[in-house]
Amino acid sequence: MAIRSATAHWTGTLKEGSGTFSVESGAVEGVAYRWATRFGDEFGTNPEELVGAAHAACYSMALSSNLGKAGYTPESVDTTARVHFEQGDAGFSIARIELTTIASVPGVSDEEFQQIAGTTKDTCPVSRALAAVPIDVVASLAG
């Protein structure tokens, strides 16, 4: 099976320092992040945004796969992940993730689509990796 890798470099203290991260494929290289992009409102990326991107991408692919296994051919699947990064008694954590997906799938009933979308939440590899985090899915059919 595949092994994927990413690297990160951080210099300095938490609040005054800065870092960069890259992925093995080179698709993302030397992207900067700082305390203010993670904990504040400064424009820029952060680890939670990247978790959201990975989750949205994985869920979309897994939903397409599960629809195909059920005999449907999805035309499109669009998913947004909202990652809630909050401070609690034990410190900062990803408190929950909301996945909102809209799919165009000819011939599927809403009832069957909802069942497949719910199953996908539990079987998507990123969802499974994030099993300690509550994940909500709101799924709808386009049109």
Side-chain angles (χ1 to χ4, degrees):
M1 293 307 309
I3 297 174
R4 308 293 187 218
S5 66
T7 60
H9 174 77
W10 186 265
T11 303
T13 65
L14 175 63
K15 286 194 175 184
E16 289 79 30
S18 64
T20 58
F21 63 86
S22 300
V23 299
E24 176 182 30
S25 69
V28 175
E29 183 127 2
V31 176
Y33 66 108
R34 304 169 3 104
W35 183 90
T37 64
R38 187 172 195 194
F39 299 99
D41 293 327
E42 184 177 300
F43 180 78
T45 196
N46 54 69
E48 292 71 35
E49 184 177 68
L50 299 171
V51 167
H55 202 177
C58 185
Y59 183 84
S60 292
M61 291 177 76
L63 181 57
S64 179
S65 174
N66 288 342
L67 287 163
K69 290 175 187 173
Y72 301 101
T73 303
E75 294 175 346
S76 64
V77 177
D78 295 291
T79 304
T80 300
R82 290 176 34 106
V83 178
H84 294 256
F85 185 57
E86 300 173 2
Q87 185 172 13
D89 294 339
F92 282 95
S93 67
I94 295 176
R96 77 179 197 275
I97 299 173
E98 301 166 1
L99 297 174
T100 303
T101 192
I102 300 171
S104 178
V105 188
V108 71
S109 70
D110 186 61
E111 182 179 342
E112 188 172 10
F113 176 71
Q114 295 301 323
Q115 186 275 324
I116 294 168
T119 298
T120 301
K121 176 191 84 160
D122 298 329
T123 59
C124 156
V126 172
S127 290
R128 289 195 333 247
L130 298 170
V133 177
I135 300 168
D136 299 315
V137 173
V138 175
S140 58
L141 290 167

